[in-house]
């Protein structure tokens, strides 16, 4: 596009607007299905497990457990809080 429009055109708002228009013209099915999905079904994210820290001597620290860590805690018969306390002990070493 530099040859046709010049270097001053590249990177401008009009440049990106034309790219968006061309992509939407060539692939309309990609844009109509996304707009329909977004309007019909808003996606919800599952909240992560936030656990209070084991020690508060250095200030409050939140630990966010991954799904794998929560599954391991259940497998070991621990609550997520107990698992987080053990993680803090391991990190302190």
């Amino acid at each position: 596009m530099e040859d046709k429009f010049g270097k001053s055109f590249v990177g401008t708002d009009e440049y990106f607007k034309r790219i968006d228009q061309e992509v939407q013209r060539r692939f309309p099915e990609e844009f109509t299905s996304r707009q329909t999905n977004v309007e019909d079904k808003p996606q919800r994210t599952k909240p992560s497990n936030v656990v209070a820290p084991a020690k508060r001597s250095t200030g409050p620290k939140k630990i966010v457990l991954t799904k794998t860590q929560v599954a391991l805690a259940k497998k070991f018969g621990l609550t997520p809080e107990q698992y987080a306390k053990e993680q803090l002990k391991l990190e302190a070493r």
Side-chain angles (χ1 to χ4, degrees):
M1 287 197 161
E2 287 184 20
D3 296 333
K4 187 175 178 182
F5 297 106
K7 289 184 180 180
S8 62
F9 178 71
V10 176
T12 63
D13 290 339
E14 182 64 25
Y15 172 79
F16 291 109
K17 181 180 174 184
R18 287 188 186 182
I19 290 174
D20 289 342
Q21 289 172 344
E22 184 64 22
V23 170
Q24 287 182 16
R25 185 183 68 78
R26 290 187 184 191
F27 307 102
E29 67 280 357
E30 292 296 323
F31 293 92
T32 56
S33 64
R34 285 185 185 161
Q35 290 173 352
T36 304
N37 288 342
V38 172
E39 292 172 2
D40 292 344
K41 299 177 184 177
Q43 294 181 355
R44 295 184 183 180
T45 57
K46 189 173 181 180
S48 60
N49 292 323
V50 178
V51 182
K55 298 179 183 178
R56 296 187 185 263
S57 60
T58 59
K61 180 181 177 185
K62 290 184 179 180
I63 297 177
V64 179
L65 298 178
T66 64
K67 290 180 183 179
T68 305
Q69 289 173 320
V70 172
L72 282 172
K74 288 181 182 178
K75 184 176 181 178
F76 295 139
L78 301 171
T79 65
E81 291 82 7
Q82 291 170 326
Y83 186 87
K85 286 179 185 180
E86 295 301 318
Q87 283 295 109
L88 280 176
K89 290 178 186 177
L90 292 174
E91 288 177 10
R93 291 183 185 176

